[in-house]
Amino acid sequence: MQHKLTLDAVEQLACETLMEAGATKAAASSVARSTRLAERDGIRSHGLLYVPIYAEHLLCGKVSPTAIPSVTIPRPAAVRVDADNGFAHAAIDAGWDSFTKAAKANGVAALSIHNSYNCGVLGHHAERLAQDGLIGLCFTHAPASIAPPGGSKPVVGTNPFSIAVPDGAGGAMLVIDQSASAIAKSEILLRSREGKAIEPGWALDADGNETLDADAALAGSMVPSGGYKGFGVGLLVEILAAALSGANLSTEASPFSGTKGGPPGTGQFFIAIDPAGFGGDGFHAAMLRLATSITDQDGARLPGQRRADNRTRIEAEGVTVDDALLTRINAAGKPAA
């Protein structure tokens, strides 16, 4: 049976479930807001589907329910947050004001986070910076799942990066959000839960052979986007989000799914740039010309347009959720008897 939930109901369900699993109200609220945004934009793999995993990780200790993020400012334009093995969302929120104020005061600033966890849809953090009038460039790494070209042992994770550009009216003109792998691992997790085959070129099994079986893919490795170029992107993200941030390397992090291992201890690295400090008014004019050169072509669209179209529709229609997922969510926050 299918149910229709409003976005308010999605956020409330996520928040209540996580609090029932032991999260503080502040942490649960941060993650619930992220869940709402994922469902709003049609990114189901990071929406309600992930709530039972978040709850499971609170209960098994992968995520600390008592985490208190701590913020330090070692340099005027450098903000560092220790997530205390809690949710990344809460740690990002803890450092946000200092980070954005530093960017506007100095023209550019960086925010690093360590002892962290999965931060949801990376593009939403970049878009949040754009909504503050800043160019947002964001990086986050994940447990190792991509082997180097010529090798067979995963070294980097799917390691996405995102960039968002302000539109001058409190929103984002465009949002690029892509991973080092041919597809986000969460998409394979979604196919696995739904019992569906994955697409060719997405993943390899444990023996290094291409597979269309989602479970075999989860036990194997991801195919990098663009071959060695995708692995290079993964290394770029690894350097910033892991090595520079003081987080565990992808090879040292426990999985984002299942109960194996303790806290993953991964990291994030965000850069915010105030256009007024560099291009001034000329930046916005140049971006308008650049965007127009894309949108004036029949069939072409700006990166992030599909998400924008989804949010318009879903805000009006609500979110469709099946009985099986609601059952998993309702049971997720309850400790085992």
Side-chain angles (χ1 to χ4, degrees), residues 209-226:
N209 301 311
E210 185 172 350
T211 183
L212 302 183
D213 183 276
D215 292 332
L218 291 172
S221 60
M222 307 290 291
V223 172
S225 176

Side-chain angles (χ1 to χ4, degrees), residues 185-199:
K185 194 169 186 178
S186 55
E187 292 296 333
I188 295 182
L189 176 63
L190 176 59
R191 296 286 181 99
S192 173
R193 290 190 176 277
E194 293 179 340
K196 296 180 179 178
I198 64 173
E199 303 300 319

Side-chain angles (χ1 to χ4, degrees), residues 102-262:
K104 291 175 181 178
N106 297 286
V108 63
L111 169 70
S112 74
I113 299 163
H114 64 288
N115 289 330
S116 190
Y117 180 76
N118 186 335
C119 70
V121 179
L122 185 64
H124 286 153
H125 303 291
E127 185 174 2
R128 184 179 176 187
L129 285 168
Q131 290 166 345
D132 284 340
L134 303 165
I135 299 171
L137 184 57
C138 301
F139 307 87
T140 185
H141 76 119
S145 60
I146 299 177
S152 59
K153 185 177 180 180
V155 172
V156 300
T158 52
N159 290 17
F161 75 91
S162 179
I163 184 169
V165 176
D167 62 6
M173 179 179 293
L174 60 83
V175 180
I176 299 171
D177 188 353
Q178 61 188 67
S179 65
S181 56
I183 193 72
K185 194 169 186 178
S186 55
E187 292 296 333
I188 295 182
L189 176 63
L190 176 59
R191 296 286 181 99
S192 173
R193 290 190 176 277
E194 293 179 340
K196 296 180 179 178
I198 64 173
E199 303 300 319
W202 280 12
L204 308 176
D205 63 19
D207 296 321
N209 301 311
E210 185 172 350
T211 183
L212 302 183
D213 183 276
D215 292 332
L218 291 172
S221 60
M222 307 290 291
V223 172
S225 176
Y228 72 90
K229 294 182 179 180
F231 186 75
V233 170
L235 279 179
L236 166 66
V237 174
E238 190 79 10
I239 291 165
L240 295 175
L244 185 59
S245 295
N248 285 337
L249 296 176
S250 290
T251 54
E252 300 163 344
S254 65
F256 281 159
S257 60
T259 58
K260 181 180 178 181

